[in-house]
Amino acid sequence: MPHNTQEQEPLKVAVLGAAGGIGQSLSLLLKTWLGPVAAAAAGAAAPAAAPRTGVIKIAMYDVNRDAVRGAAADLSHIDTPVAVSAHAGDDIGDALRGAELVVIPAGVPRRPGMTRDDLFAVNARIVATLADAIAAHCDLSRTFVLLISNPVNSLVPVLQERLVHASGRSPHDVAQRVFGLTQLDAVRASTFLHEAVPQWTPEMPSVPVVGGHSGETIVPLFSLATRAADTITAEARERLVHRVQYGGDEVVEAKNGAGSATLSMAYAAARITCKFADLLLGLVPELHDTLYVRVRVPGQLLAPGAQDLLETLAGITAGGNGAAGTAGTAAGTVAYFSVPITVGTRGIVSVDALPLQRADEFERKALAVCLGQLGGNIKKGQNFVANLG
Ligand code: NAD
Ligand code: LMR
C-alpha cells in the first residue's frame, strides 16, 4: 500500500539543478511523460493498491534564478496535467517540502581533458549542501533521492553519509532510498550493441551494466544480453565494452568545451524517474532496475540478496569463482556498487547478485579491475564527509 495518509495528495518531484543542460531536458521529459502517468493514476484501476488522484507537480530548483524561472514558465505552457513551479536560492525549502522524489543533476560538467574525478572538489560541496537541505525539508521515510552529478562513484557516498549525519537516521534507512543513476551506461550498451548487430529486431536489447560510473568501473555484461554472446566475436565485444566505458568522452569531445551528455542523460534519468512515479502512485507494486546503492551497511544487511552480492564481489576480488562463501570476506569488499535491485514504496525489497554470478570469465576480469578502482573512489567521498564535521 502507498502511505495511507498521502493517498489523495499530488506526487511532487523536485529537480535540483533544474536550469542546467540535464535539468531543463529532464524537466521537459517529465512534464510530457508524466502526463499520461497522472491520467492513469487518476483514472485507471491500479493493480497494486488504491491509486492517488490529482496532478503531479514538478518543483524546479536552481541557484540560477532567472534561468530556472524562465524554464519553468516555458514548460508551464505545455498542455499536460503536470504542474511546474520555479524555486531559486534560499527557496530550496519550498522546492523540497512534500517531495517524494528528488532528482539531482546540480553541479559542473566536464570539459575535454578532464576526468569525472576532476569535478569532485566543486560538486562534493554542492551535493553536501543539498544533502543538508534534503535532511532539513524532506521526510526520509517517504522520499527517494536520485543522484546524477559526477563523479557518481564518490558523490553517492557523500550524499548518503552526509544525509545520515544531517538527518540522524540510520545508514540502513538512508541506504534504502538514496541511489546513484548509472542508467546512461545501460542505454549506451543497448544502443551500441544494437548498432553492432543490425540484423536484430527493432526492440533494443537489454544489457545489464554493473559496478560504477567512470571508465573501467563501468562493467557491461554483454554475455547476459539476449543472444549477444552467440552473435558477436570476442574482439567486437572488447570494442563494445571500451565504447560503453568511455562513451561519455565521445560527447565531451564532440561538445568541445560546452559540457557533457545532457540529452541522453535526461532521457535515461526520465525513464527511471517515471518508474519511481509509477511505484509511488500505486500503478505498480515494485520496480526493477540497476542502481548505484550502498550495498554494505554497518551492522545490518541492506536487503535480501545483499549478502550473496557481497560474497560474490569478495570472490571476484580474491580471484575465486564468485560463488557465495568461496573466497575473501564479504566485509572487506566495496561499500557501494551498481547492481540490479527491486524497490518497493518502503525501500529496497531485494538485491539480485545473479547477473554477477553468471558473468563469464572476460567479465569477471573486468569486474576485478572495477573493484580495484571503485574502493578508492568511495573512500574519497567518505573522507570528504568525515572532514566536514
Ligand atoms: P550544467 O552546468 O548544464 O547544469 C548544472 C546546473 O546545476 C546549473 O544550472 C547550475 O546553476 C546548477 N547548480 C549549481 N550549483 C547548484 C546548487 N548548489 N543547487 C542547485 N543547482 C545548482 O551541467 P549538466 O550538463 O546539466 O550536468 C550536471 C551534472 O551531471 C555534471 O556533474 C555532470 O558531470 C553530471 N552528469 C552525470 C551523468 C550520469 O550518468 N550520472 C551523465 C551526464 C552528466
Ligand atoms: C557521461 O557518461 O556522459 C557523463 O558521466 C558525463 C561525463 O562527464 O562523461
Side-chain angles (χ1 to χ4, degrees):
M1 280 284 287
H3 306 272
N4 45 19
T5 55
Q6 299 302 323
E7 277 177 7
Q8 300 307 317
E9 285 179 18
L11 171 68
K12 182 172 175 185
V13 184
V15 179
L16 311 183
I22 296 170
Q24 290 204 31
S25 317
L26 171 62
S27 301
L28 170 62
L29 290 174
L30 295 180
K31 174 78 171 107
T32 50
W33 291 2
L34 287 177
V37 174
R52 279 191 276 180
T53 56
V55 292
I56 297 174
K57 291 181 179 175
I58 303 172
M60 299 175 67
Y61 172 80
D62 203 287
V63 289
N64 187 336
R65 184 176 300 272
D66 290 344
V68 78
R69 281 189 181 158
D74 195 353
L75 288 178
S76 71
H77 291 190
I78 294 174
D79 60 352
T80 53
V82 177
V84 180
S85 57
H87 309 265
D90 295 340
D91 191 19
I92 191 162
D94 276 355
L96 288 172
R97 256 186 303 280
E100 287 171 80
L101 263 176
V102 178
V103 191
I104 311 180
V108 292
R110 287 198 286 163
R111 294 185 304 278
M114 292 173 83
T115 66
R116 291 181 185 82
D117 191 53
D118 292 334
L119 306 173
F120 180 84
V122 175
N123 288 352
R125 281 187 195 293
I126 292 173
V127 167
T129 307
L130 295 176
D132 289 347
I134 293 167
H137 300 292
C138 293
D139 173 357
L140 279 171
S141 65
R142 54 182 289 246
T143 305
F144 285 106
V145 187
L146 308 177
L147 182 73
I148 295 172
S149 321
N150 270 318
V152 168
N153 293 1
S154 307
L155 293 188
V156 173
V158 170
L159 179 61
Q160 288 258 352
E161 299 186 28
R162 186 65 188 175
L163 275 172
V164 169
H165 173 89
S167 70
R169 299 191 78 89
S170 73
H172 180 264
D173 281 3
V174 172
Q176 299 295 320
R177 309 189 75 87
V178 177
F179 308 119
L181 295 193
T182 56
Q183 269 63 25
L184 181 53
D185 303 317
V187 169
R188 285 182 176 138
S190 158
T191 307
F192 301 159
L193 178 59
H194 197 73
E195 284 172 11
V197 190
Q199 69 270 29
W200 277 12
T201 54
E203 83 252 18
M204 292 302 227
S206 159
V207 184
V209 183
V210 298
H213 176 66
S214 185
E216 289 174 307
T217 68
I218 299 170
V219 185
L221 303 176
F222 282 108
S223 75
L224 304 184
T226 331
R227 288 177 292 157
D230 310 331
T231 320
I232 53 171
T233 63
E235 295 71 30
R237 174 160 62 149
E238 271 182 54
R239 281 196 300 276
L240 277 176
V241 168
H242 186 270
R243 190 164 178 215
V244 173
Q245 291 179 329
Y246 294 94
D249 294 12
E250 284 183 23
V251 183
V252 170
E253 280 154 27
K255 291 199 174 180
N256 197 21
S260 56
T262 52
L263 304 172
S264 51
M265 182 60 227
Y267 166 78
R271 281 206 323 194
I272 182 72
T273 306
C274 287
K275 285 172 87 167
F276 272 95
D278 284 348
L279 174 72
L280 289 164
L281 288 165
L283 293 168
V284 295
E286 33 191 47
L287 68 83
H288 311 278
D289 215 306
T290 299
L291 289 155
Y292 186 67
V293 296
R294 185 171 193 173
V295 290
R296 188 155 53 79
V297 181
Q300 223 173 334
L301 204 59
L302 176 71
Q307 187 62 23
D308 269 3
L309 175 75
L310 292 175
E311 288 177 2
T312 302
L313 295 178
I316 290 167
T317 304
N321 68 13
T326 49
T329 61
T333 190
V334 292
Y336 292 80
F337 199 78
S338 194
V339 63
I341 58 172
T342 298
V343 183
T345 51
R346 292 173 189 277
I348 300 175
V349 174
S350 60
V351 174
D352 184 9
L354 206 59
L356 283 111
Q357 291 164 352
R358 289 172 49 213
D360 68 14
E361 201 42 43
F362 171 79
E363 289 161 351
R364 292 178 57 75
K365 284 193 182 127
L367 281 164
V369 174
C370 158
L371 292 169
Q373 297 181 9
L374 196 51
N377 296 164
I378 294 165
K379 198 82 204 135
K380 183 165 183 168
Q382 291 174 321
N383 288 344
F384 175 85
V385 176
N387 290 330
L388 279 180

